[in-house]
Amino acid sequence: MGSAVYLDYNASAPIRPEAAAALSEALGLAGNASSVHGFGRALRHRIETARKAAAALVGAAPAQVIFTSGGTEANNLALRGDWARVLVSAGEHDSARQAVPEAEMIRLGPDGVLRLDSLDQALAAQGGPALVSVMLANNETGVIQPIARIAELVHGAGALLHCDAVQAAGKIPVDMAALGADLLSLSAHKLGGPQGVGALVVREGIDLPALLRGGGQERRRRAGTENAAGIAGFGAAAEAASRDLDKAAGLAALRDALEAQVRALAPEAKIFGAEAPRLANTSCLTMPGVAAETQVVALDLAGVAVSAGAACSSGKVTVSHVLQAMGAAPDEAATAIRVSFGWRSAPADVEHFIAAWSELYRRAGRGRSAA
Ligand code: PLP
């Protein structure tokens, strides 16, 4: 049974109607976008329209966009280039942390923000052309990194910067040039597009070897027949998300109302990353003494869908590496869940959440139920 209240947008956002329409329209077309006949050209047109929309979302030129199978592939394509050294922040998504096993880690502070002294130190070490990978916004806590400042340090040391903007795009304005990012990852399903499609946006002049070799698609940077329908859906979602950026910022009202009520019910509850700039839609909060998995199951039974730590790895019960990197005690981190809002969220969702959360807290012998 599906949950009535969906508060897990950072895991995957429900598809936007515009994206579903573009996807299904393109799915109905015959052909291969590489073919020169009319059928092929019709699909090519859908892909190039989407390329413009994805580029516009991050202030880039369409020719900079390489469509991929998602954020994971985009991160792998960026990190597994010809780099003598790869440095990643300790809070990166597993698709960046694990892309290069020998990558060096840069530390986070207790607020979830990258430690610039740790970056400086790592950059000072010699070892050839380096790539540094730091995400714009964290998927678990929503903490936003000072990418423009990080880019200055990275470029000052002669290195290049990859920015995983998978969670940020469509939630906050993203301008690749203003950020100073040389490479930037996107994923359609985090902004209301279909799953299984994303992009790596590459600054002009960067020579990046293809991960997938074969045909000449995507200017020889990513072989394989394009997922034309998925890409069309991505483009429509990117356009809608760009248009709705104000609404995305307005989600702070829901998030703040939820956090205020949790704090009133349980003053000892911890909200990770609350001291740093954060995405408006994300809250990573603890229910003291109650395991995250227990909370997720109980909230699901009450019709509220949230996740424990990173949803991508929530099948396994491991303490979040992000919270660990912020210095959280394992016991406390194990009681943290992530609530994330999005384009279809409404104030009633907060009421449902608080009713279910407070009831569980009361049953756990901890608090009083909400009035
Ligand atoms: N990067 C971040 C920050 C993410 O949150 C995710 C997905 O959770 C990814 C990358 C991977 O994206 P995809 O699911 O498209 O492979």
Side-chain angles (χ1 to χ4, degrees), residues 47-117:
I47 292 176
E48 297 315 317
T49 302
R51 197 183 304 280
K52 285 183 200 145
L57 180 69
V58 296
Q64 294 174 252
V65 174
I66 307 175
F67 285 118
T68 65
S69 65
T72 298
E73 186 189 329
N75 284 348
N76 273 265
L77 179 56
L79 273 79
R80 290 163 66 184
D82 227 351
W83 316 113
R85 296 173 70 202
V86 173
L87 287 68
V88 300
S89 99
E92 294 306 293
H93 187 262
D94 275 340
S95 56
R97 284 202 323 152
Q98 296 186 17
V100 179
E102 60 279 11
E104 300 158 54
M105 291 283 165
I106 311 162
R107 297 169 62 190
L108 301 184
D111 56 358
V113 177
L114 189 85
R115 287 196 35 185
L116 298 181
D117 58 335

Side-chain angles (χ1 to χ4, degrees), residues 10-11 69-73 75 93 95 135 137 139 164 166-167 187 189-190 197 312:
N10 287 12
S69 65
T72 298
E73 186 189 329
N75 284 348
H93 187 262
S95 56
M135 67 206 325
N139 45 305
D164 177 344
V166 162
Q167 291 291 346
S187 174
H189 74 108
K190 307 292 187 181
V197 57
C312 300

Side-chain angles (χ1 to χ4, degrees), residues 58-60 146-149 151-152 155 161 173-181 184:
V58 296
I147 295 294
R149 176 76 188 113
E152 275 173 24
H155 293 151
L161 179 68
V174 177
D175 182 319
M176 192 165 164
L179 291 172
L184 184 136

Side-chain angles (χ1 to χ4, degrees), residues 4-50:
V5 177
Y6 188 76
L7 296 177
D8 205 8
Y9 278 72
N10 287 12
S12 196
I15 194 159
R16 293 173 184 265
E18 302 90 330
L23 178 117
S24 99
E25 191 268 341
L27 212 49
L29 301 177
N32 182 318
S34 297
S35 300
V36 294
H37 51 59
F39 291 90
R41 289 200 310 276
L43 276 177
R44 170 62 49 205
H45 177 67
R46 305 296 186 284
I47 292 176
E48 297 315 317
T49 302

